[in-house]
Amino acid sequence: MVTKSYLIILVMLLFTFSYHFINIPHYGDNSYRFHRHDSCAQEMTTYLSEIVIEAERIKEGSLEKEACDFFSSSLASWIETFYSANLYLNTGLSENKVFLLRADVPVMDCGNFFVGGNIVNSTDFYSGKIRSMAIRNISKAIKIGEKKLGNVEVVYDESFEIKIFVEESIFLQLFFLLSSIIMMKLLMEDTKKYVLRPLAPLLGIVFGYASNPLAIWPISSRQVQLNTNEFHNSHTAENFGNIEDNYDSSQSNRDEAELGKHETEQLIHTITKITSLLRQCWGVAGASIISSNLKRNKDKRLQDFIIMPGKKIYAVFGFVGIGDWDHLLRALSKDVMILINDVANVVHSEVARWGLNNTGQCNRNIGPVFLMVFRIGYDKEVREKYCKGGGDETQGNERRKKSLQMSSSISETDLDNNFQLNELPGVHEHADRAAIGMLKSFASIHRDNNLRQFMYEVRLTNGNPEEPFHAKITFGLDAGYAMEGAVGSVYKVDATYLGPHVNMASRMQSACKQFGVSLLCSKDFQCLLSPEAKQKFRHVDTCTVKGVQKAQPIYTYDARHRGINLFLNKRDCNVADIEAKNYSPKIWNTDQDLKCMRQHITSEFEDKFNKGRDLYLVGNWKEAVKVLKEANEQMIRNNMKFDMVEFQASPSDVNNVNTSLTKRLTDIGDGPSKCLINYMIGKNGQAPAKFVDEKCRALESK
């Protein structure tokens, strides 16, 4: 591609090669040019020597008179040549234009007179007025054969020549200086156009990804430019130099089509894909690791994640699991990847949608289990927010005092025990959104078109269309602190969370199976919910789990999909985004999905279950079994109201059902009631002394 800078270089080369053939003095109208003035002096001196030699040869031929005439006329002609050439000898005009100062030739004896000798002499007039460096003395020895005739000596003044040479040199240097400035300017424009401007989107993606690795950066160079300019204002001038000082956005728009022809446009797409893969693979836990490694530290060296310590973070942790995984893996074989990815797409989308300020992210995909994280903030950020907090001045002072006491403590466990996360401003919305994200995932899974294609898959129903397949999805939630960081080596690394609350969330998800529910959460999470949400969560048991000494009340949200046409509540993605953006605690009583999933729960059932649970916790198991059985029967009646078509029976037939409906009736009973009943019966209906004292039991499985 020919650019203006290339043209300037070409002009400079042409001028350089033609310089020696331009503006050189010449004789009259002749086009004879000299490369340098002293070349003329050499030729005229040689010509004078040839005159002497020719005259001597004529004289040796016994033509003395002819030799004298030739010698005399030739010398006169030679002198006349200088007088008639304006650039060489004008002794009557200006000393600056005198070229010939003195000329001496061998003397020829012509009888009555002599010819030769000092034929020109103006040195006396110009003595002391010419610098020695400007005087050029040319002397040539004249001989014919072995006969020496003498010397021809000519003295020239090169002042005028030197002056012209200096002037032309100055002009040439100025020309090259000006040309260099113009060339540099054009080269800079070409560099910006073809190098820096195409690289700006690349830097925009890298710098933007460094500042927010979880953001989805656009591929369009025009959109990336906004990110680049924003980052330059705070980082580039310090670390990389502001390459966009003179960036013209309108010029960028005009060159956008041309820019697409360059390799840099392909690099933009490639880097965008790489950053997208990094974002998907590392997730929210890897955001700070990526950011700290892409940004340069003070010594301009990248950090090594292996030696980087973890960071304490507060978050809501949620595990999502797919039930009957062994059966699905055997039945579907390689197609199980399609099923699990369809589930992941739904869960990840809803979690990302409902997470407060885009804090909901998937951290790990562990086979059929997903770890979801709703980030509240790093330890320092959370404590500062806690100290500022809402409420009156007294409450604020108490928080600050308590925070100072916690900061001076050594034990991280003590810090966590003293820190009341439920007093953090805005945490209720954060927890509500996390719970809704899980519940919306439950609803969306049972109305997703891709997943519904598996309902009548022969490999999953064993050829029995009366028992369609439904994905059994379970959720476990807990809230608290964890250590965020990279785990692995230079060969493989994972960005993850480690901590007791992560383990607790995993155990809640695993325990869903024995309690027969779709969602379980700990007390640590339930206490963060808004008052409206707490009313919808049912306390099902109090347990201790492995690795945690503290007894934890366990809660569930009674979500059910059978007998509910969730398709009626399906929303367009844009509408769903708007609903998530306009969250308020009233959503627990107004959202159609949340209402439908819990429509089988009545106050009568809740009263009976709560009574039976309380009897169970105080150790009155005989009465507790009786009351919980009544609660379970009440749940069966409630569910049958919505499953009449499926069961082809009326609610009044609940006590007269045939054997074929027994299994289904068992499935539609209340899972927590049956779990507690089975546990008490397994202990022969007698509460152990330890249970009576602690009012809790050990969770038998995760």
Side-chain angles (χ1 to χ4, degrees):
M1 182 181 295
V2 179
T3 62
K4 292 178 288 186
S5 57
Y6 297 156
L7 295 177
I8 290 295
I9 295 175
L10 180 61
V11 171
M12 291 182 64
L13 291 175
L14 292 175
F15 179 82
T16 303
F17 285 118
S18 62
Y19 169 71
H20 294 289
F21 303 96
I22 300 176
N23 199 26
I24 302 300
H26 59 277
Y27 289 109
D29 296 331
N30 297 329
S31 59
Y32 181 71
R33 291 177 173 82
F34 301 92
H35 296 283
R36 187 173 168 84
H37 292 187
D38 60 354
S39 64
C40 176
Q42 291 282 358
E43 291 184 9
M44 294 306 293
T45 303
T46 301
Y47 177 54
L48 188 59
S49 301
E50 291 176 352
I51 291 175
V52 174
I53 294 172
E54 186 64 26
E56 187 64 28
R57 287 176 178 172
I58 294 174
K59 184 178 180 180
E60 289 178 354
S62 301
L63 298 174
E64 184 176 346
K65 183 177 183 304
E66 287 79 357
C68 289
D69 292 342
F70 170 78
F71 192 40
S72 177
S73 61
S74 295
L75 291 177
S77 176
W78 185 85
I79 296 173
E80 182 64 24
T81 299
F82 280 94
Y83 277 87
S84 62
N86 293 334
L87 294 179
Y88 291 95
L89 187 62
N90 284 317
T91 55
L93 294 178
S94 172
E95 60 179 295
N96 293 331
K97 291 189 177 182
V98 172
F99 186 81
L100 181 61
L101 296 179
R102 183 169 61 85
D104 294 327
V105 297
V107 178
M108 179 177 286
D109 186 2
C110 294
N112 298 330
F113 60 93
F114 294 92
V115 179
N118 183 238
I119 59 175
V120 176
N121 189 0
S122 58
T123 55
D124 295 338
F125 181 76
Y126 292 104
S127 177
K129 298 182 179 181
I130 303 175
R131 295 183 179 182
S132 58
M133 63 178 299
I135 298 175
R136 183 174 179 77
N137 190 337
I138 302 177
S139 179
K140 288 192 175 184
I142 307 299
K143 64 179 181 177
I144 300 177
E146 297 299 329
K147 182 181 179 181
K148 295 183 179 181
L149 302 179
N151 294 327
V152 172
E153 185 175 356
V154 183
V155 180
Y156 299 96
D157 175 16
E158 294 186 342
S159 298
F160 181 69
E161 174 190 340
I162 294 175
K163 178 183 178 182
I164 295 299
F165 177 76
V166 170
E167 291 176 352
E168 291 179 351
S169 298
I170 294 175
F171 167 76
L172 184 62
Q173 293 178 23
L174 292 176
F175 173 78
F176 272 101
L177 179 61
L178 181 62
S179 301
S180 299
I181 294 174
I182 296 175
M183 184 181 67
M184 290 295 293
K185 179 66 176 177
L186 295 177
L187 282 174
M188 288 182 65
E189 291 180 358
D190 289 341
T191 302
K192 287 182 180 180
K193 179 178 179 181
Y194 298 107
V195 180
L196 298 183
R197 190 171 290 125
L199 287 178
L202 300 179
L203 295 177
I205 294 173
V206 175
F207 294 152
Y209 195 69
S211 62
N212 186 5
L214 298 179
I216 301 176
W217 296 100
I219 295 179
S220 170
S221 59
R222 183 178 180 183
Q223 290 176 309
V224 172
Q225 181 58 38
L226 300 176
N227 302 327
T228 306
N229 290 338
E230 181 179 354
F231 188 87
H232 282 325
N233 293 335
S234 58
H235 294 82
T236 312
E238 177 184 355
N239 294 331
F240 296 93
N242 194 345
I243 65 171
E244 293 294 310
D245 286 338
N246 300 316
Y247 185 84
D248 184 358
S249 59
S250 61
Q251 179 68 26
S252 175
N253 296 337
R254 291 194 297 269
D255 295 339
E256 190 170 6
E258 185 177 1
L259 181 65
K261 302 176 183 178
H262 300 288
E263 291 80 358
T264 50
E265 188 71 14
Q266 300 178 14
L267 289 175
I268 293 174
H269 287 268
T270 302
I271 291 180
T272 303
K273 292 178 181 179
I274 292 174
T275 55
S276 178
L277 287 174
L278 283 174
R279 174 174 50 81
Q280 294 172 357
C281 293
W282 285 68
V284 64
S288 60
I289 301 173
I290 296 173
S291 179
S292 60
N293 276 275
L294 288 180
K295 292 179 180 179
R296 298 190 177 188
N297 36 24
K298 294 181 180 179
D299 58 358
K300 307 298 182 183
R301 298 178 60 187
L302 296 180
Q303 301 183 35
D304 188 354
F305 69 86
I306 299 177
I307 61 175
M308 291 174 59
K311 295 183 178 180
K312 186 175 182 180
I313 188 172
Y314 287 90
V316 173
F317 302 100
F319 274 87
V320 183
I322 302 176
D324 294 337
W325 177 247
D326 292 336
H327 168 65
L328 295 176
L329 191 59
R330 288 193 300 268
L332 295 179
S333 185
K334 61 182 180 180
D335 291 337
V336 76
M337 301 302 295
I338 300 176
L339 174 65
I340 193 172
N341 286 332
D342 287 340
V343 173
N345 182 59
V346 173
V347 175
H348 295 183
S349 299
E350 293 296 341
V351 168
R353 174 178 292 123
W354 284 95
L356 180 62
N357 298 327
N358 298 320
T359 56
Q361 296 285 338
C362 177
N363 172 248
R364 281 185 293 172
N365 301 317
I366 315 169
V369 179
F370 313 117
L371 170 58
M372 316 306 294
V373 179
F374 299 85
R375 179 194 296 259
I376 297 175
Y378 288 111
D379 181 67
K380 182 179 179 181
E381 299 171 355
V382 172
R383 295 183 185 280
E384 288 178 352
K385 188 175 181 180
Y386 174 80
C387 292
K388 294 178 182 178
D392 56 27
E393 184 177 357
T394 303
Q395 292 176 336
N397 292 333
E398 290 178 355
R399 289 194 183 98
R400 282 188 286 272
K401 182 178 179 180
K402 187 176 182 180
S403 179
L404 290 174
Q405 293 174 350
M406 289 188 293
S407 299
S408 61
S409 176
I410 298 177
S411 172
E412 288 288 345
T413 304
D414 293 339
L415 281 175
D416 188 63
N417 291 337
N418 293 331
F419 185 71
Q420 299 298 323
L421 195 59
N422 62 334
E423 297 179 5
L424 187 70
V427 74
H428 297 314
E429 180 181 357
H430 199 101
D432 280 12
R433 284 179 170 274
I436 295 174
M438 295 299 192
L439 294 172
K440 285 288 185 177
S441 298
F442 178 84
S444 298
I445 284 172
H446 292 289
R447 62 171 169 237
D448 182 74
N449 290 327
N450 294 329
L451 289 170
R452 286 180 68 86
Q453 294 177 5
F454 289 93
M455 286 182 61
Y456 300 101
E457 171 63 46
V458 176
R459 292 174 293 179
L460 297 177
T461 61
N462 296 321
N464 185 4
E466 295 183 359
E467 296 183 1
F469 166 76
H470 295 282
K472 297 178 181 179
I473 310 298
T474 54
F475 304 85
L477 289 167
D478 192 27
Y481 75 91
M483 300 305 165
E484 177 189 85
V487 177
S489 66
V490 293
Y491 301 100
K492 179 65 174 71
V493 62
D494 288 315
T496 188
Y497 297 91
L498 303 175
H501 296 281
V502 179
N503 297 336
M504 188 65 179
S506 175
R507 298 181 189 281
M508 291 295 98
Q509 182 269 324
S510 301
C512 287
K513 182 177 181 180
Q514 65 171 289
F515 281 95
V517 295
S518 298
L519 183 147
L520 283 176
C521 69
S522 66
K523 178 65 176 181
D524 288 339
F525 174 76
Q526 188 267 351
C527 68
L528 302 183
L529 294 170
S530 64
E532 291 84 352
K534 289 179 180 178
Q535 296 176 3
K536 309 299 180 182
F537 280 75
R538 176 165 53 123
H539 177 200
V540 295
D541 200 353
T542 300
C543 303
T544 58
V545 299
K546 185 178 180 181
V548 180
Q549 299 298 326
K550 178 183 176 182
Q552 279 271 14
I554 298 175
Y555 297 82
T556 186
Y557 185 94
D558 296 288
R560 189 171 186 269
H561 67 90
R562 288 185 180 274
I564 303 172
N565 193 349
L566 292 171
F567 273 97
L568 297 177
N569 304 329
K570 189 173 183 179
R571 297 288 188 272
D572 180 79
C573 290
N574 294 330
V575 176
D577 291 340
I578 295 174
E579 290 180 351
K581 183 178 180 181
N582 297 331
Y583 157 86
S584 75
K586 296 180 181 179
I587 192 173
W588 293 99
N589 297 314
T590 59
D591 184 82
Q592 293 301 314
D593 282 337
L594 300 180
K595 290 171 63 177
C596 290
M597 287 188 294
R598 204 173 177 274
Q599 63 184 0
H600 60 292
I601 302 298
T602 62
S603 58
E604 182 182 0
F605 164 77
E606 287 184 310
D607 292 340
K608 285 187 178 181
F609 176 82
N610 290 337
K611 180 181 178 181
R613 180 204 62 216
D614 292 340
L615 291 171
Y616 153 77
L617 291 176
V618 297
N620 189 356
W621 284 11
K622 182 177 181 180
E623 189 66 23
V625 170
K626 178 180 177 182
V627 176
L628 288 175
K629 284 183 177 180
E630 294 177 357
N632 185 55
E633 293 174 357
Q634 181 64 46
M635 176 63 75
I636 293 175
R637 285 191 290 270
N638 293 344
N639 287 335
M640 285 188 63
K641 294 179 181 178
F642 305 102
D643 295 349
M644 286 170 52
V645 176
E646 182 177 352
F647 284 96
Q648 297 180 353
S650 64
S652 59
D653 296 331
V654 66
N655 295 321
N656 301 313
V657 294
N658 54 44
T659 306
S660 64
L661 296 181
T662 302
K663 184 178 182 299
R664 295 189 181 183
L665 289 175
T666 303
D667 291 339
I668 64 175
D670 180 49
S673 297
K674 292 185 290 184
C675 178
L676 297 182
I677 291 171
N678 292 335
Y679 176 74
M680 289 185 287
I681 293 177
K683 298 292 183 178
N684 297 321
Q686 294 293 326
K690 183 178 180 181
F691 181 91
V692 175
D693 294 337
E694 298 178 356
K695 293 182 172 52
C696 67
R697 68 183 178 99
L699 198 61
E700 296 176 352
S701 64
K702 291 185 178 180

